[in-house]
Amino acid sequence: LSPMVGYFFGGKSNFYEGSLKIKDNINYGLHLGFDAGGHSMLELSYAVSASEAQWRPNFSYIDLLPSREFDIQTHMFLIGGTKGVELSNPQLIGFGTFKAGAVYYNATNGDISDVWRFMINLGAGIKYYFTDKVGIKFQGNMYMPMYFNGGGIYCGIGSGGSNCGASVSSTVVIFQGDLTAGLIFKLGQ
């Protein structure tokens, strides 16, 4: 069990109509890990950041989509794996993580629609254990919410034989990240 707090980099995304910038702010959350042997874990995590977003339209969209600022909350729900390795001593563990899940962008102004997106997360950090049950960890994460553009299924026959396949096209909407610190509490055995 690991409560955490950190600094969230909100990111910026450019569209044909203009640009959206989510301001940097603090975030906090909780990681719940299940031991998978060695220094590997299955981890569930939740993090939230409350911030402000700025919309700036391109010249031809000023009248249709005027500039505005609004409050936004970013809620991240992820599940994945963490793999660690002992560094200079058994109490110091370096680790990497890969998770997938969903992000919920909640615009707190009533006239802006909320949005759910599929998200993947890459992270790395270090853990230091003071005792067998208590420690601290420092972690950096890169969050990539995605927009799926389309997909297809195909089959064909040619000189090399027959072949079938499927494809999915997606785009990372906005790159986001954080730097966090947290406490570690090992429960159970």
Side-chain angles (χ1 to χ4, degrees):
L1 181 67
S2 182
M4 55 70 105
V5 66
Y7 189 77
F8 183 71
F9 303 100
K12 181 179 179 179
S13 187
N14 293 314
F15 302 94
Y16 181 77
E17 299 86 355
S19 65
L20 177 70
K21 166 79 172 115
I22 299 175
K23 291 184 179 179
D24 302 345
N25 205 348
I26 63 166
N27 67 336
Y28 52 92
L30 187 65
H31 297 235
L32 181 60
F34 301 94
D35 191 10
H39 294 293
S40 298
M41 298 184 78
L42 171 67
E43 193 170 77
L44 303 170
S45 64
Y46 168 75
V48 63
S49 177
S51 188
E52 187 176 276
Q54 299 173 331
W55 167 255
R56 299 293 180 252
N58 291 332
F59 180 74
S60 58
Y61 286 90
I62 289 175
D63 294 332
L64 184 62
L65 301 166
S67 292
R68 65 185 301 181
E69 294 185 2
F70 55 94
D71 294 330
I72 190 167
Q73 293 180 351
T74 305
H75 300 266
M76 295 169 282
F77 307 89
L78 299 163
I79 183 169
T82 299
K83 177 65 178 164
V85 61
E86 286 185 17
L87 297 177
S88 59
N89 66 52
Q91 296 167 305
L92 187 62
I93 309 293
F95 67 92
T97 183
F98 174 80
K99 298 177 192 169
V103 59
Y104 174 59
Y105 295 103
N106 178 8
T108 56
N109 300 35
D111 63 336
I112 298 174
S113 298
D114 297 342
V115 175
W116 282 92
R117 290 284 179 255
F118 175 76
M119 173 184 274
I120 59 173
N121 161 245
L122 297 172
I126 57 170
K127 298 177 186 179
Y128 183 79
Y129 289 96
F130 300 111
T131 69
D132 290 344
K133 303 280 187 188
V134 178
I136 59 173
K137 76 175 177 179
F138 300 97
Q139 184 170 345
N141 290 293
M142 181 171 58
Y143 301 106
M144 294 166 278
M146 303 174 117
Y147 176 80
F148 289 94
N149 303 321
I153 299 173
Y154 60 90
C155 287
I157 299 174
S159 62
S162 63
N163 189 11
C164 288
S167 68
V168 175
S169 173
S170 67
T171 303
V172 174
V173 179
I174 186 171
F175 283 97
Q176 298 177 303
D178 67 14
L179 297 172
T180 62
L183 297 173
I184 301 169
F185 300 102
K186 286 188 174 181
L187 308 175
Q189 301 178 356

